[in-house]
Amino acid sequence: MSKNKISGDAGEQEVVDLVPCPNCKKKLMLLPKNYPLYDLQCTGCSFRVQVKTNNSKPKSEIFGAGWEIIDKVLKSGFTMPPLIANFKWSEKEVERQRIIFYPFIPKVNLKKRQLSPTARRANYKMFNYINLDTLPHFVLYEK
């Protein structure tokens, strides 16, 4: 299992442990592995969300996921799933964390990219979330 997969799974569990549903404040839960588009859902309402964990200070561009599925979803008239970004970093030997909720991600805030021909998933099409600092957001947790 890759280091990124391990970090991502741990980050999703942290969000479940630290943050209530942004909609109804009930507990969030993990969705099954490889569930399309979403990582968590609420135990009390229909809220679902994508989670991205970054071992860095909050930044305006982060890695997304596979392009093909999200492109089909957007072409079908659906909106991007809401995003929870879990940022973790050290500052002066103090562990810091900020979990930010982005309820709406416009298509203009996605940048398509392709992995190199020598990558483990050669030529795989992906996307990054960009200009997150310009989007409305809520800080759900901070330490």
Side-chain angles (χ1 to χ4, degrees):
M1 191 178 307
S2 76
K3 186 177 172 184
N4 287 343
K5 175 80 171 122
I6 293 167
S7 176
D9 289 349
E12 290 170 11
Q13 186 60 56
E14 283 178 342
V15 172
V16 167
D17 294 341
L18 295 172
V19 174
C21 172
N23 183 50
C24 74
K25 303 300 182 208
K26 290 189 178 171
K27 186 155 181 57
L28 294 171
M29 63 179 264
L30 295 167
L31 284 164
K33 298 289 177 216
N34 299 317
Y35 194 90
L37 300 178
Y38 301 100
D39 297 314
L40 307 179
Q41 74 178 21
C42 180
T43 59
C45 71
S46 61
F47 179 80
R48 288 188 176 164
V49 68
Q50 172 72 231
V51 177
K52 293 296 175 189
T53 299
N54 289 266
N55 293 313
S56 72
K57 288 183 177 182
K59 55 189 178 179
S60 66
E61 183 169 344
I62 61 175
F63 289 128
W67 175 255
E68 297 297 329
I69 184 68
I70 205 64
D71 188 46
K72 287 180 175 116
V73 166
L74 295 173
K75 284 180 178 174
S76 297
F78 292 93
T79 59
M80 274 298 289
L83 172 68
I84 290 179
N86 181 8
F87 294 100
K88 300 169 7 172
W89 71 102
S90 291
E91 192 170 75
K92 298 178 183 173
E93 299 182 27
V94 175
E95 296 300 313
R96 302 282 316 272
Q97 184 172 17
R98 185 175 302 150
I99 299 175
I100 304 172
F101 174 51
Y102 299 91
F104 179 69
I105 311 282
K107 188 173 181 178
V108 70
N109 290 85
L110 307 178
K111 179 175 77 175
K112 187 177 171 184
R113 64 186 178 89
Q114 185 169 324
L115 298 181
S116 76
T118 58
R120 188 170 52 91
R121 296 176 82 180
N123 301 314
Y124 187 66
K125 291 177 177 69
M126 300 187 77
F127 71 91
N128 287 2
Y129 294 96
I130 61 170
N131 301 322
L132 291 174
D133 56 333
T134 66
L135 296 178
H137 62 275
F138 303 92
V139 175
L140 302 177
Y141 176 83
E142 191 161 19
K143 78 169 185 176

PDB file of all heavy atoms in Angstrom, residues 12 15-17 19-32 35-51 82 84:
ATOM      1  N   GLU A  12      -8.956  10.450   6.553  1.00  0.00           N
ATOM      2  CA  GLU A  12     -10.412  10.275   6.548  1.00  0.00           C
ATOM      3  C   GLU A  12     -10.903   9.874   7.935  1.00  0.00           C
ATOM      4  O   GLU A  12     -11.908  10.404   8.421  1.00  0.00           O
ATOM      5  CB  GLU A  12     -10.813   9.206   5.528  1.00  0.00           C
ATOM      6  CG  GLU A  12     -10.618   9.638   4.094  1.00  0.00           C
ATOM      7  CD  GLU A  12     -10.788   8.491   3.097  1.00  0.00           C
ATOM      8  OE1 GLU A  12     -11.269   7.400   3.493  1.00  0.00           O
ATOM      9  OE2 GLU A  12     -10.439   8.692   1.925  1.00  0.00           O
ATOM     10  N   VAL A  15     -10.970  12.856  10.272  1.00  0.00           N
ATOM     11  CA  VAL A  15     -12.135  13.715  10.053  1.00  0.00           C
ATOM     12  C   VAL A  15     -13.352  13.108  10.748  1.00  0.00           C
ATOM     13  O   VAL A  15     -14.097  13.810  11.441  1.00  0.00           O
ATOM     14  CB  VAL A  15     -12.385  13.955   8.546  1.00  0.00           C
ATOM     15  CG1 VAL A  15     -13.706  14.670   8.319  1.00  0.00           C
ATOM     16  CG2 VAL A  15     -11.238  14.761   7.935  1.00  0.00           C
ATOM     17  N   VAL A  16     -13.552  11.806  10.609  1.00  0.00           N
ATOM     18  CA  VAL A  16     -14.673  11.130  11.283  1.00  0.00           C
ATOM     19  C   VAL A  16     -14.577  11.327  12.798  1.00  0.00           C
ATOM     20  O   VAL A  16     -15.579  11.598  13.463  1.00  0.00           O
ATOM     21  CB  VAL A  16     -14.695   9.624  10.921  1.00  0.00           C
ATOM     22  CG1 VAL A  16     -15.624   8.846  11.845  1.00  0.00           C
ATOM     23  CG2 VAL A  16     -15.091   9.432   9.469  1.00  0.00           C
ATOM     24  N   ASP A  17     -13.365  11.209  13.344  1.00  0.00           N
ATOM     25  CA  ASP A  17     -13.166  11.312  14.791  1.00  0.00           C
ATOM     26  C   ASP A  17     -13.288  12.739  15.323  1.00  0.00           C
ATOM     27  O   ASP A  17     -13.671  12.934  16.477  1.00  0.00           O
ATOM     28  CB  ASP A  17     -11.788  10.760  15.178  1.00  0.00           C
ATOM     29  CG  ASP A  17     -11.660   9.262  14.931  1.00  0.00           C
ATOM     30  OD1 ASP A  17     -12.692   8.565  14.804  1.00  0.00           O
ATOM     31  OD2 ASP A  17     -10.507   8.788  14.844  1.00  0.00           O
ATOM     32  N   VAL A  19     -14.696  15.727  13.533  1.00  0.00           N
ATOM     33  CA  VAL A  19     -15.622  16.694  12.941  1.00  0.00           C
ATOM     34  C   VAL A  19     -17.033  16.107  12.838  1.00  0.00           C
ATOM     35  O   VAL A  19     -17.195  15.016  12.297  1.00  0.00           O
ATOM     36  CB  VAL A  19     -15.122  17.095  11.531  1.00  0.00           C
ATOM     37  CG1 VAL A  19     -16.115  17.989  10.829  1.00  0.00           C
ATOM     38  CG2 VAL A  19     -13.763  17.756  11.606  1.00  0.00           C
ATOM     39  N   PRO A  20     -18.057  16.835  13.307  1.00  0.00           N
ATOM     40  CA  PRO A  20     -19.429  16.392  13.060  1.00  0.00           C
ATOM     41  C   PRO A  20     -19.872  16.805  11.647  1.00  0.00           C
ATOM     42  O   PRO A  20     -19.219  17.615  10.990  1.00  0.00           O
ATOM     43  CB  PRO A  20     -20.233  17.139  14.126  1.00  0.00           C
ATOM     44  CG  PRO A  20     -19.463  18.396  14.347  1.00  0.00           C
ATOM     45  CD  PRO A  20     -18.003  18.021  14.152  1.00  0.00           C
ATOM     46  N   CYS A  21     -20.977  16.291  11.217  1.00  0.00           N
ATOM     47  CA  CYS A  21     -21.539  16.648   9.906  1.00  0.00           C
ATOM     48  C   CYS A  21     -21.737  18.161   9.827  1.00  0.00           C
ATOM     49  O   CYS A  21     -22.350  18.759  10.714  1.00  0.00           O
ATOM     50  CB  CYS A  21     -22.881  15.934   9.725  1.00  0.00           C
ATOM     51  SG  CYS A  21     -23.793  16.446   8.249  1.00  0.00           S
ATOM     52  N   PRO A  22     -21.227  18.807   8.777  1.00  0.00           N
ATOM     53  CA  PRO A  22     -21.424  20.259   8.642  1.00  0.00           C
ATOM     54  C   PRO A  22     -22.894  20.649   8.454  1.00  0.00           C
ATOM     55  O   PRO A  22     -23.263  21.784   8.714  1.00  0.00           O
ATOM     56  CB  PRO A  22     -20.616  20.629   7.391  1.00  0.00           C
ATOM     57  CG  PRO A  22     -19.655  19.515   7.200  1.00  0.00           C
ATOM     58  CD  PRO A  22     -20.327  18.284   7.740  1.00  0.00           C
ATOM     59  N   ASN A  23     -23.728  19.706   8.034  1.00  0.00           N
ATOM     60  CA  ASN A  23     -25.133  19.995   7.798  1.00  0.00           C
ATOM     61  C   ASN A  23     -25.985  19.840   9.055  1.00  0.00           C
ATOM     62  O   ASN A  23     -26.713  20.758   9.431  1.00  0.00           O
ATOM     63  CB  ASN A  23     -25.670  19.076   6.687  1.00  0.00           C
ATOM     64  CG  ASN A  23     -27.104  19.374   6.350  1.00  0.00           C
ATOM     65  OD1 ASN A  23     -27.478  20.514   6.116  1.00  0.00           O
ATOM     66  ND2 ASN A  23     -27.934  18.341   6.338  1.00  0.00           N
ATOM     67  N   CYS A  24     -25.889  18.688   9.742  1.00  0.00           N
ATOM     68  CA  CYS A  24     -26.809  18.426  10.863  1.00  0.00           C
ATOM     69  C   CYS A  24     -26.101  18.182  12.198  1.00  0.00           C
ATOM     70  O   CYS A  24     -26.760  17.991  13.211  1.00  0.00           O
ATOM     71  CB  CYS A  24     -27.712  17.242  10.531  1.00  0.00           C
ATOM     72  SG  CYS A  24     -26.884  15.638  10.598  1.00  0.00           S
ATOM     73  N   LYS A  25     -24.772  18.162  12.182  1.00  0.00           N
ATOM     74  CA  LYS A  25     -23.947  17.989  13.389  1.00  0.00           C
ATOM     75  C   LYS A  25     -23.951  16.572  13.966  1.00  0.00           C
ATOM     76  O   LYS A  25     -23.423  16.355  15.039  1.00  0.00           O
ATOM     77  CB  LYS A  25     -24.317  19.000  14.489  1.00  0.00           C
ATOM     78  CG  LYS A  25     -24.224  20.445  14.042  1.00  0.00           C
ATOM     79  CD  LYS A  25     -22.831  20.792  13.607  1.00  0.00           C
ATOM     80  CE  LYS A  25     -22.734  22.254  13.220  1.00  0.00           C
ATOM     81  NZ  LYS A  25     -21.699  22.506  12.234  1.00  0.00           N
ATOM     82  N   LYS A  26     -24.537  15.601  13.253  1.00  0.00           N
ATOM     83  CA  LYS A  26     -24.442  14.207  13.708  1.00  0.00           C
ATOM     84  C   LYS A  26     -23.102  13.631  13.260  1.00  0.00           C
ATOM     85  O   LYS A  26     -22.324  14.280  12.577  1.00  0.00           O
ATOM     86  CB  LYS A  26     -25.611  13.390  13.170  1.00  0.00           C
ATOM     87  CG  LYS A  26     -26.923  13.801  13.825  1.00  0.00           C
ATOM     88  CD  LYS A  26     -28.045  12.888  13.480  1.00  0.00           C
ATOM     89  CE  LYS A  26     -29.296  13.367  14.232  1.00  0.00           C
ATOM     90  NZ  LYS A  26     -30.475  12.678  13.793  1.00  0.00           N
ATOM     91  N   LYS A  27     -22.826  12.397  13.610  1.00  0.00           N
ATOM     92  CA  LYS A  27     -21.543  11.764  13.341  1.00  0.00           C
ATOM     93  C   LYS A  27     -21.378  11.413  11.857  1.00  0.00           C
ATOM     94  O   LYS A  27     -22.317  10.950  11.215  1.00  0.00           O
ATOM     95  CB  LYS A  27     -21.411  10.499  14.192  1.00  0.00           C
ATOM     96  CG  LYS A  27     -20.043   9.852  14.090  1.00  0.00           C
ATOM     97  CD  LYS A  27     -19.730   9.028  15.308  1.00  0.00           C
ATOM     98  CE  LYS A  27     -18.364   8.400  15.242  1.00  0.00           C
ATOM     99  NZ  LYS A  27     -17.253   9.309  15.063  1.00  0.00           N
ATOM    100  N   LEU A  28     -20.170  11.629  11.359  1.00  0.00           N
ATOM    101  CA  LEU A  28     -19.818  11.184  10.014  1.00  0.00           C
ATOM    102  C   LEU A  28     -19.319   9.742  10.088  1.00  0.00           C
ATOM    103  O   LEU A  28     -18.851   9.291  11.131  1.00  0.00           O
ATOM    104  CB  LEU A  28     -18.724  12.079   9.423  1.00  0.00           C
ATOM    105  CG  LEU A  28     -19.123  13.523   9.148  1.00  0.00           C
ATOM    106  CD1 LEU A  28     -17.904  14.354   8.767  1.00  0.00           C
ATOM    107  CD2 LEU A  28     -20.184  13.600   8.067  1.00  0.00           C
ATOM    108  N   MET A  29     -19.390   9.031   8.952  1.00  0.00           N
ATOM    109  CA  MET A  29     -18.890   7.665   8.893  1.00  0.00           C
ATOM    110  C   MET A  29     -18.172   7.432   7.563  1.00  0.00           C
ATOM    111  O   MET A  29     -18.442   8.111   6.569  1.00  0.00           O
ATOM    112  CB  MET A  29     -20.024   6.651   9.044  1.00  0.00           C
ATOM    113  CG  MET A  29     -21.055   6.703   7.940  1.00  0.00           C
ATOM    114  SD  MET A  29     -22.366   5.483   8.145  1.00  0.00           S
ATOM    115  CE  MET A  29     -21.744   4.194   7.099  1.00  0.00           C
ATOM    116  N   LEU A  30     -17.247   6.495   7.565  1.00  0.00           N
ATOM    117  CA  LEU A  30     -16.526   6.125   6.351  1.00  0.00           C
ATOM    118  C   LEU A  30     -17.449   5.373   5.399  1.00  0.00           C
ATOM    119  O   LEU A  30     -18.255   4.543   5.832  1.00  0.00           O
ATOM    120  CB  LEU A  30     -15.342   5.217   6.693  1.00  0.00           C
ATOM    121  CG  LEU A  30     -14.222   5.834   7.521  1.00  0.00           C
ATOM    122  CD1 LEU A  30     -13.300   4.743   8.048  1.00  0.00           C
ATOM    123  CD2 LEU A  30     -13.447   6.837   6.693  1.00  0.00           C
ATOM    124  N   LEU A  31     -17.310   5.641   4.117  1.00  0.00           N
ATOM    125  CA  LEU A  31     -17.983   4.836   3.103  1.00  0.00           C
ATOM    126  C   LEU A  31     -17.055   3.671   2.738  1.00  0.00           C
ATOM    127  O   LEU A  31     -15.854   3.718   3.022  1.00  0.00           O
ATOM    128  CB  LEU A  31     -18.285   5.698   1.874  1.00  0.00           C
ATOM    129  CG  LEU A  31     -19.465   6.654   2.071  1.00  0.00           C
ATOM    130  CD1 LEU A  31     -19.479   7.734   1.004  1.00  0.00           C
ATOM    131  CD2 LEU A  31     -20.773   5.882   2.060  1.00  0.00           C
ATOM    132  N   PRO A  32     -17.566   2.618   2.118  1.00  0.00           N
ATOM    133  CA  PRO A  32     -16.714   1.478   1.764  1.00  0.00           C
ATOM    134  C   PRO A  32     -15.557   1.894   0.850  1.00  0.00           C
ATOM    135  O   PRO A  32     -15.666   2.858   0.085  1.00  0.00           O
ATOM    136  CB  PRO A  32     -17.668   0.532   1.021  1.00  0.00           C
ATOM    137  CG  PRO A  32     -19.036   0.942   1.447  1.00  0.00           C
ATOM    138  CD  PRO A  32     -18.962   2.416   1.746  1.00  0.00           C
ATOM    139  N   TYR A  35     -15.553   3.447  -2.982  1.00  0.00           N
ATOM    140  CA  TYR A  35     -16.873   4.020  -3.241  1.00  0.00           C
ATOM    141  C   TYR A  35     -16.676   5.203  -4.183  1.00  0.00           C
ATOM    142  O   TYR A  35     -15.795   6.043  -3.955  1.00  0.00           O
ATOM    143  CB  TYR A  35     -17.521   4.475  -1.925  1.00  0.00           C
ATOM    144  CG  TYR A  35     -18.996   4.758  -2.044  1.00  0.00           C
ATOM    145  CD1 TYR A  35     -19.919   3.750  -1.825  1.00  0.00           C
ATOM    146  CD2 TYR A  35     -19.454   6.024  -2.390  1.00  0.00           C
ATOM    147  CE1 TYR A  35     -21.286   3.996  -1.931  1.00  0.00           C
ATOM    148  CE2 TYR A  35     -20.800   6.282  -2.504  1.00  0.00           C
ATOM    149  CZ  TYR A  35     -21.715   5.263  -2.276  1.00  0.00           C
ATOM    150  OH  TYR A  35     -23.061   5.517  -2.397  1.00  0.00           O
ATOM    151  N   PRO A  36     -17.462   5.303  -5.261  1.00  0.00           N
ATOM    152  CA  PRO A  36     -17.210   6.382  -6.229  1.00  0.00           C
ATOM    153  C   PRO A  36     -17.527   7.778  -5.688  1.00  0.00           C
ATOM    154  O   PRO A  36     -18.556   7.976  -5.046  1.00  0.00           O
ATOM    155  CB  PRO A  36     -18.110   6.031  -7.408  1.00  0.00           C
ATOM    156  CG  PRO A  36     -19.094   5.059  -6.898  1.00  0.00           C
ATOM    157  CD  PRO A  36     -18.523   4.407  -5.667  1.00  0.00           C
ATOM    158  N   LEU A  37     -16.628   8.703  -5.931  1.00  0.00           N
ATOM    159  CA  LEU A  37     -16.762  10.145  -5.677  1.00  0.00           C
ATOM    160  C   LEU A  37     -16.706  10.595  -4.222  1.00  0.00           C
ATOM    161  O   LEU A  37     -16.259  11.688  -3.948  1.00  0.00           O
ATOM    162  CB  LEU A  37     -18.047  10.716  -6.291  1.00  0.00           C
ATOM    163  CG  LEU A  37     -18.205  10.580  -7.791  1.00  0.00           C
ATOM    164  CD1 LEU A  37     -19.536  11.146  -8.229  1.00  0.00           C
ATOM    165  CD2 LEU A  37     -17.063  11.256  -8.531  1.00  0.00           C
ATOM    166  N   TYR A  38     -17.185   9.806  -3.293  1.00  0.00           N
ATOM    167  CA  TYR A  38     -17.284  10.249  -1.908  1.00  0.00           C
ATOM    168  C   TYR A  38     -16.481   9.345  -0.982  1.00  0.00           C
ATOM    169  O   TYR A  38     -16.285   8.168  -1.253  1.00  0.00           O
ATOM    170  CB  TYR A  38     -18.751  10.238  -1.453  1.00  0.00           C
ATOM    171  CG  TYR A  38     -19.642  11.125  -2.273  1.00  0.00           C
ATOM    172  CD1 TYR A  38     -20.438  10.598  -3.280  1.00  0.00           C
ATOM    173  CD2 TYR A  38     -19.695  12.494  -2.047  1.00  0.00           C
ATOM    174  CE1 TYR A  38     -21.266  11.416  -4.047  1.00  0.00           C
ATOM    175  CE2 TYR A  38     -20.522  13.314  -2.799  1.00  0.00           C
ATOM    176  CZ  TYR A  38     -21.299  12.771  -3.802  1.00  0.00           C
ATOM    177  OH  TYR A  38     -22.113  13.582  -4.539  1.00  0.00           O
ATOM    178  N   ASP A  39     -16.049   9.930   0.151  1.00  0.00           N
ATOM    179  CA  ASP A  39     -15.301   9.172   1.157  1.00  0.00           C
ATOM    180  C   ASP A  39     -16.084   8.988   2.453  1.00  0.00           C
ATOM    181  O   ASP A  39     -15.934   7.981   3.124  1.00  0.00           O
ATOM    182  CB  ASP A  39     -13.981   9.885   1.487  1.00  0.00           C
ATOM    183  CG  ASP A  39     -13.068   9.970   0.282  1.00  0.00           C
ATOM    184  OD1 ASP A  39     -12.898   8.948  -0.412  1.00  0.00           O
ATOM    185  OD2 ASP A  39     -12.522  11.067   0.033  1.00  0.00           O
ATOM    186  N   LEU A  40     -16.896   9.993   2.807  1.00  0.00           N
ATOM    187  CA  LEU A  40     -17.643   9.966   4.069  1.00  0.00           C
ATOM    188  C   LEU A  40     -19.099  10.317   3.824  1.00  0.00           C
ATOM    189  O   LEU A  40     -19.428  11.020   2.862  1.00  0.00           O
ATOM    190  CB  LEU A  40     -17.080  11.003   5.055  1.00  0.00           C
ATOM    191  CG  LEU A  40     -15.594  10.992   5.380  1.00  0.00           C
ATOM    192  CD1 LEU A  40     -15.273  12.124   6.343  1.00  0.00           C
ATOM    193  CD2 LEU A  40     -15.171   9.654   5.934  1.00  0.00           C
ATOM    194  N   GLN A  41     -19.943   9.861   4.746  1.00  0.00           N
ATOM    195  CA  GLN A  41     -21.333  10.300   4.743  1.00  0.00           C
ATOM    196  C   GLN A  41     -21.798  10.483   6.175  1.00  0.00           C
ATOM    197  O   GLN A  41     -21.192   9.958   7.107  1.00  0.00           O
ATOM    198  CB  GLN A  41     -22.243   9.332   3.996  1.00  0.00           C
ATOM    199  CG  GLN A  41     -22.552   8.058   4.712  1.00  0.00           C
ATOM    200  CD  GLN A  41     -23.512   7.180   3.914  1.00  0.00           C
ATOM    201  OE1 GLN A  41     -23.646   7.323   2.700  1.00  0.00           O
ATOM    202  NE2 GLN A  41     -24.170   6.261   4.584  1.00  0.00           N
ATOM    203  N   CYS A  42     -22.864  11.219   6.335  1.00  0.00           N
ATOM    204  CA  CYS A  42     -23.437  11.459   7.649  1.00  0.00           C
ATOM    205  C   CYS A  42     -24.290  10.267   8.074  1.00  0.00           C
ATOM    206  O   CYS A  42     -24.924   9.619   7.241  1.00  0.00           O
ATOM    207  CB  CYS A  42     -24.297  12.719   7.605  1.00  0.00           C
ATOM    208  SG  CYS A  42     -25.062  13.117   9.195  1.00  0.00           S
ATOM    209  N   THR A  43     -24.313  10.001   9.368  1.00  0.00           N
ATOM    210  CA  THR A  43     -25.156   8.924   9.898  1.00  0.00           C
ATOM    211  C   THR A  43     -26.603   9.382  10.087  1.00  0.00           C
ATOM    212  O   THR A  43     -27.477   8.555  10.340  1.00  0.00           O
ATOM    213  CB  THR A  43     -24.614   8.412  11.250  1.00  0.00           C
ATOM    214  OG1 THR A  43     -24.589   9.503  12.171  1.00  0.00           O
ATOM    215  CG2 THR A  43     -23.236   7.803  11.098  1.00  0.00           C
ATOM    216  N   GLY A  44     -26.870  10.691   9.936  1.00  0.00           N
ATOM    217  CA  GLY A  44     -28.211  11.202  10.192  1.00  0.00           C
ATOM    218  C   GLY A  44     -28.910  11.869   9.029  1.00  0.00           C
ATOM    219  O   GLY A  44     -30.131  11.979   9.019  1.00  0.00           O
ATOM    220  N   CYS A  45     -28.158  12.340   8.031  1.00  0.00           N
ATOM    221  CA  CYS A  45     -28.785  13.014   6.892  1.00  0.00           C
ATOM    222  C   CYS A  45     -28.126  12.508   5.598  1.00  0.00           C
ATOM    223  O   CYS A  45     -27.313  11.598   5.627  1.00  0.00           O
ATOM    224  CB  CYS A  45     -28.683  14.537   7.024  1.00  0.00           C
ATOM    225  SG  CYS A  45     -27.028  15.233   6.799  1.00  0.00           S
ATOM    226  N   SER A  46     -28.430  13.103   4.481  1.00  0.00           N
ATOM    227  CA  SER A  46     -27.913  12.618   3.199  1.00  0.00           C
ATOM    228  C   SER A  46     -26.584  13.260   2.794  1.00  0.00           C
ATOM    229  O   SER A  46     -26.134  13.091   1.668  1.00  0.00           O
ATOM    230  CB  SER A  46     -28.954  12.841   2.095  1.00  0.00           C
ATOM    231  OG  SER A  46     -29.212  14.230   1.969  1.00  0.00           O
ATOM    232  N   PHE A  47     -25.927  13.965   3.701  1.00  0.00           N
ATOM    233  CA  PHE A  47     -24.658  14.637   3.400  1.00  0.00           C
ATOM    234  C   PHE A  47     -23.566  13.623   3.070  1.00  0.00           C
ATOM    235  O   PHE A  47     -23.358  12.652   3.784  1.00  0.00           O
ATOM    236  CB  PHE A  47     -24.223  15.488   4.598  1.00  0.00           C
ATOM    237  CG  PHE A  47     -22.912  16.190   4.398  1.00  0.00           C
ATOM    238  CD1 PHE A  47     -22.842  17.355   3.669  1.00  0.00           C
ATOM    239  CD2 PHE A  47     -21.741  15.668   4.941  1.00  0.00           C
ATOM    240  CE1 PHE A  47     -21.628  18.004   3.477  1.00  0.00           C
ATOM    241  CE2 PHE A  47     -20.532  16.305   4.758  1.00  0.00           C
ATOM    242  CZ  PHE A  47     -20.477  17.478   4.024  1.00  0.00           C
ATOM    243  N   ARG A  48     -22.845  13.865   1.961  1.00  0.00           N
ATOM    244  CA  ARG A  48     -21.668  13.079   1.580  1.00  0.00           C
ATOM    245  C   ARG A  48     -20.576  14.045   1.157  1.00  0.00           C
ATOM    246  O   ARG A  48     -20.854  15.143   0.666  1.00  0.00           O
ATOM    247  CB  ARG A  48     -21.977  12.122   0.431  1.00  0.00           C
ATOM    248  CG  ARG A  48     -22.845  10.966   0.861  1.00  0.00           C
ATOM    249  CD  ARG A  48     -22.978   9.957  -0.225  1.00  0.00           C
ATOM    250  NE  ARG A  48     -23.751   8.815   0.264  1.00  0.00           N
ATOM    251  CZ  ARG A  48     -24.305   7.913  -0.512  1.00  0.00           C
ATOM    252  NH1 ARG A  48     -24.160   7.991  -1.818  1.00  0.00           N
ATOM    253  NH2 ARG A  48     -24.982   6.920   0.007  1.00  0.00           N
ATOM    254  N   VAL A  49     -19.309  13.607   1.304  1.00  0.00           N
ATOM    255  CA  VAL A  49     -18.191  14.508   1.039  1.00  0.00           C
ATOM    256  C   VAL A  49     -16.954  13.742   0.587  1.00  0.00           C
ATOM    257  O   VAL A  49     -16.751  12.586   0.961  1.00  0.00           O
ATOM    258  CB  VAL A  49     -17.895  15.358   2.314  1.00  0.00           C
ATOM    259  CG1 VAL A  49     -17.341  14.508   3.438  1.00  0.00           C
ATOM    260  CG2 VAL A  49     -16.993  16.534   2.008  1.00  0.00           C
ATOM    261  N   GLN A  50     -16.143  14.386  -0.208  1.00  0.00           N
ATOM    262  CA  GLN A  50     -14.814  13.909  -0.601  1.00  0.00           C
ATOM    263  C   GLN A  50     -13.822  14.462   0.430  1.00  0.00           C
ATOM    264  O   GLN A  50     -13.960  15.596   0.873  1.00  0.00           O
ATOM    265  CB  GLN A  50     -14.489  14.453  -1.998  1.00  0.00           C
ATOM    266  CG  GLN A  50     -13.103  14.224  -2.487  1.00  0.00           C
ATOM    267  CD  GLN A  50     -12.817  12.780  -2.851  1.00  0.00           C
ATOM    268  OE1 GLN A  50     -11.841  12.241  -2.386  1.00  0.00           O
ATOM    269  NE2 GLN A  50     -13.655  12.179  -3.658  1.00  0.00           N
ATOM    270  N   VAL A  51     -12.810  13.680   0.822  1.00  0.00           N
ATOM    271  CA  VAL A  51     -11.801  14.127   1.775  1.00  0.00           C
ATOM    272  C   VAL A  51     -10.425  14.022   1.142  1.00  0.00           C
ATOM    273  O   VAL A  51     -10.102  13.006   0.518  1.00  0.00           O
ATOM    274  CB  VAL A  51     -11.833  13.279   3.072  1.00  0.00           C
ATOM    275  CG1 VAL A  51     -10.725  13.703   4.026  1.00  0.00           C
ATOM    276  CG2 VAL A  51     -13.184  13.386   3.756  1.00  0.00           C
ATOM    277  N   PRO A  82     -18.811  18.104  -2.494  1.00  0.00           N
ATOM    278  CA  PRO A  82     -18.172  19.017  -1.547  1.00  0.00           C
ATOM    279  C   PRO A  82     -16.850  18.400  -1.075  1.00  0.00           C
ATOM    280  O   PRO A  82     -16.662  17.181  -1.158  1.00  0.00           O
ATOM    281  CB  PRO A  82     -19.172  19.154  -0.408  1.00  0.00           C
ATOM    282  CG  PRO A  82     -20.225  18.141  -0.637  1.00  0.00           C
ATOM    283  CD  PRO A  82     -20.094  17.614  -2.023  1.00  0.00           C
ATOM    284  N   ILE A  84     -13.712  18.232   1.938  1.00  0.00           N
ATOM    285  CA  ILE A  84     -13.088  18.528   3.222  1.00  0.00           C
ATOM    286  C   ILE A  84     -11.599  18.297   3.033  1.00  0.00           C
ATOM    287  O   ILE A  84     -11.180  17.204   2.650  1.00  0.00           O
ATOM    288  CB  ILE A  84     -13.633  17.657   4.368  1.00  0.00           C
ATOM    289  CG1 ILE A  84     -15.078  18.060   4.692  1.00  0.00           C
ATOM    290  CG2 ILE A  84     -12.753  17.795   5.615  1.00  0.00           C
ATOM    291  CD1 ILE A  84     -15.729  17.245   5.806  1.00  0.00           C
TER     292      ILE A  84
END
